[in-house]
Amino acid sequence: MVVKSLLLGAGAMLLMGGCASMNEDQCLAGDWGGQGYRDGLRGFPMTRLDDHAKACGKYGVTPEALPYQSAREDGLRGYCRLESGFDAGRRGESYHGVCRPDEEFAFLPAYRDGLRLHAAESALESARSDLDSAIAWINDRADKLAAKQRELGEDGKTDAEKDQIRSRIEEVRGELRDARRRARDAERALQWVEDEADRVRFELSGRYPV
């Protein structure tokens, strides 16, 4: 299925990161049933056990596949639900194709809806960051301009030095104008993504807790 393959490769936050999957205490505890259940609830594929084997091998511990697999199946029953699909998408997590076809009937549409909201909220966060950065640059250039103007008024400056300061003042004024334009653009962009995020939330509010 094309949709399913797209979701499997979704450029979202991967569940499997670069860190060790289990620490020493977890490995030595040997709770493979509990670990399998937790991994199932998070939608990990069975290959997650390979990550655990690699992590625990450093401590001389070998995973127990049978209790892990059985408990992971129990956990997947909690993961492969409409609500969990939406939550996973909203967190920007990748879907690893772990649900049965009959479960995907409800899970995948909810997951896609969650991804839409994740994208809208990520864009909103980015737009706010851009505006904050633009405002910080305005303040920085305004401070720089004031400092240069004070420097120009100091006694003991030669004409050449004053000319150099005046030239720099004009440069900073230009930078300040650019910063203000950038802030105006950022404000417009923020308004657009706020409206879009509100639209997506409103559209989904009848189906999910958003």
Side-chain angles (χ1 to χ4, degrees), residues 32-187:
W32 295 108
Q35 188 64 50
Y37 183 77
R38 290 188 293 272
D39 287 352
L41 279 179
R42 295 178 62 192
F44 280 113
M46 190 62 193
T47 53
R48 183 64 169 174
L49 188 59
D50 297 333
D51 298 328
H52 297 330
K54 182 177 179 180
C56 293
K58 294 183 293 186
Y59 311 112
V61 176
T62 300
E64 297 177 17
L66 289 180
Y68 177 90
Q69 183 174 4
S70 176
R72 174 180 165 274
E73 291 297 326
D74 291 338
L76 285 177
R77 282 192 282 274
Y79 175 78
C80 296
R81 299 179 297 110
L82 181 147
E83 297 85 354
S84 296
F86 179 75
D87 290 342
R90 188 174 187 176
R91 291 191 297 268
E93 296 175 351
S94 292
Y95 172 57
H96 298 284
V98 295
C99 300
R100 298 191 302 266
D102 60 314
E103 295 170 329
E104 286 185 339
F105 183 79
F107 180 92
L108 288 180
Y111 175 72
R112 289 194 295 268
D113 286 340
L115 284 180
R116 286 178 57 211
L117 185 55
H118 173 74
E121 291 178 335
S122 295
L124 183 56
E125 181 179 352
S126 178
R128 286 171 175 162
S129 178
D130 287 344
L131 180 57
D132 289 344
S133 178
I135 292 172
W137 186 240
I138 288 173
N139 293 334
D140 179 84
R141 293 298 84 189
D143 291 343
K144 186 68 173 179
L145 179 60
K148 283 297 177 183
Q149 289 172 332
R150 288 194 300 270
E151 184 181 356
L152 183 61
E154 294 173 356
D155 295 332
K157 292 287 189 296
T158 66
D159 289 342
E161 288 173 334
K162 289 180 179 180
D163 287 343
Q164 186 177 16
I165 295 170
R166 290 189 186 98
S167 177
R168 181 56 183 146
I169 286 174
E170 289 306 309
E171 290 177 0
V172 175
R173 282 175 175 160
E175 293 167 357
L176 184 56
R177 286 191 295 271
D178 289 343
R180 287 170 175 157
R181 280 195 294 270
R182 176 184 165 191
R184 288 193 295 271
D185 290 343
E187 286 176 343

